[in-house]
């Protein structure tokens, strides 16, 4: 049932023409998801993939922005408790799910729409 809901939401966001609304909803789900749960990790991948069918650049930009936030916090001078949070099992699971989502997007994209942005995404090559 949960898988269906992620696909449905992704399809609706894919049809939406309001870029800011799509970004807001995707960011909300990315931030709230618990990627340690396999069904939620797969749900986020499904959500992003279905939304990208019609809003590829928006979804890719949102995913890149979210990942950038994760890595910015990871490399910045932050408190010990925040660093522990960023190095947690949940954070690692989130990063893994996001890399899988990015791969899924790349598989669905045309070469022209994916290549320039993919090369700009430093975390994808590190």
């Amino acid at each position: 049932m949960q898988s269906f809901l992620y696909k449905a939401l992704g399809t609706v966001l894919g049809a939406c023409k309001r870029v800011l609304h799509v970004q807001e909803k995707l960011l909300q789900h990315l931030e709230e998801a618990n990627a340690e749960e396999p069904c939620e990790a797969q749900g986020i991948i499904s959500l992003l993939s279905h939304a990208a069918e019609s809003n590829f650049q928006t979804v890719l930009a949102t995913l890149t922005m979210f990942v950038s936030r994760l890595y910015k916090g990871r490399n910045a001078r932050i408190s010990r408790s925040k660093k522990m949070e960023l190095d947690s099992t949940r954070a690692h699971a989130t990063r893994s799910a996001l890399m899988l989502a990015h791969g899924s997007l790349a598989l669905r994209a045309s070469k022209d729409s994916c290549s320039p942005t993919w090369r700009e995404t430093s975390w994808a090559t590190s």
Side-chain angles (χ1 to χ4, degrees):
M1 179 66 165
Q2 191 175 20
S3 173
F4 171 77
L5 295 175
Y6 278 114
K7 287 179 186 177
L9 180 58
T11 302
V12 169
L13 290 175
C16 184
K17 300 300 176 200
R18 293 176 30 215
V19 173
L20 292 177
H21 178 74
V22 172
Q23 286 182 320
E24 176 185 317
K25 291 301 177 188
L26 289 175
L27 285 171
Q28 176 186 351
H29 285 281
L30 287 168
E31 290 168 355
E32 293 174 359
N34 180 2
E36 288 180 283
E37 297 294 329
C39 62
E40 280 198 53
Q42 186 58 46
I44 289 299
I45 294 166
S46 178
L47 169 70
L48 293 166
S49 296
H50 282 83
E53 288 181 13
S54 298
N55 280 322
F56 179 78
Q57 292 299 329
T58 300
V59 173
L60 187 58
T62 305
L63 180 58
T64 302
M65 178 188 348
F66 182 75
V67 170
S68 176
R69 286 183 193 173
L70 283 179
Y71 278 86
K72 182 180 179 186
R74 191 172 179 211
N75 295 325
R77 292 184 183 179
I78 54 175
S79 70
R80 175 177 248 171
S81 63
K82 183 66 175 172
K83 186 157 185 75
M84 287 174 57
E85 181 183 318
L86 291 169
D87 289 334
S88 70
T89 304
R90 183 174 180 168
H92 287 289
T94 299
R95 286 190 285 275
S96 295
L98 294 175
M99 288 183 73
L100 290 171
H102 209 282
S104 178
L105 294 181
L107 290 173
R108 292 175 180 260
S110 68
K111 187 175 180 180
D112 294 338
S113 65
C114 188
S115 294
T117 308
W118 186 263
R119 285 187 296 248
E120 294 169 10
T121 309
S122 60
W123 65 271
T125 58
S126 56

